[in-house]
Amino acid sequence: ITGYNVVNPEDKVASQAVWFPKGDWFDFFTGESFTGPAEGIAADPLDSFPLYVRGGVPLPMQAYTPRPGTAPLTDLVLRCYPGPDGQSGSSLVYEDDGVTRGYEHGEYAATELTYLRHGGEITVSVAPTNSGVSSRVESSTNSACSTSCGSSVR
């Protein structure tokens, strides 16, 4: 398990057992759902890898760039998989300059993202950045959220 929101088995083999912690989990690439706690089998081509995302937690992403650590964040994309009805989930967008060790002295920005589903309505919120450092999330030119369940997003 890597972190609290993403499960990524490290061995890139044709198939292997995967443990899903409690909650709803989704295959990042296919949207197939799994409910934990449970064990499942990840079967993927050797040129692919299994990647699972916790439902109900906004997953912040950006477009491909060869140097994601130092490239400016121009488009923030939030991918959201359905979470339990009435239960909120959150994640954090962490930003620093990607070059110096200024983060050790508080030179970084942290922005909380939250997800809440009530029936077919999903609300994704971006909180104010918790830092004195300018955040690229606040000035992002394009924020979007998509769901794999076809619910409305606001």
Side-chain angles (χ1 to χ4, degrees):
I1 299 176
T2 58
Y4 294 101
N5 300 327
V6 177
V7 177
N8 180 4
E10 293 184 17
D11 294 329
K12 295 180 182 177
V13 296
S15 66
Q16 72 179 69
V18 178
W19 173 253
F20 294 100
K22 183 179 179 181
D24 298 324
W25 295 88
F26 295 85
D27 182 299
F28 179 85
F29 303 105
T30 68
E32 182 180 2
S33 64
F34 304 87
T35 300
E39 187 172 292
I41 299 293
D44 290 289
L46 291 176
D47 63 347
S48 182
F49 59 94
L51 180 64
Y52 302 96
V53 181
R54 183 185 298 273
V57 177
L59 179 62
M61 303 185 314
Q62 71 181 59
Y64 171 79
T65 178
R67 297 191 48 91
T70 56
L73 179 62
T74 57
D75 295 306
L76 176 65
V77 177
L78 303 178
R79 182 176 276 190
C80 304
Y81 294 87
D85 194 26
Q87 183 177 331
S88 67
S90 66
S91 60
L92 194 66
V93 176
Y94 171 88
E95 303 170 87
D96 60 35
D97 66 13
V99 179
T100 69
R101 295 178 69 167
Y103 63 90
E104 293 176 341
H105 309 289
E107 296 174 15
Y108 63 88
T111 306
E112 184 179 28
L113 309 171
T114 58
Y115 168 103
L116 178 62
R117 179 173 70 93
H118 284 292
E121 184 175 305
I122 295 171
T123 303
V124 178
S125 303
V126 179
T129 298
N130 183 14
S131 170
V133 176
S134 176
S135 168
R136 294 177 281 190
V137 171
E138 292 175 342
S139 62
S140 177
T141 58
N142 179 24
S143 294
C145 184
S146 61
T147 71
S148 62
C149 65
S151 299
S152 61
V153 177
R154 148 173 94 122

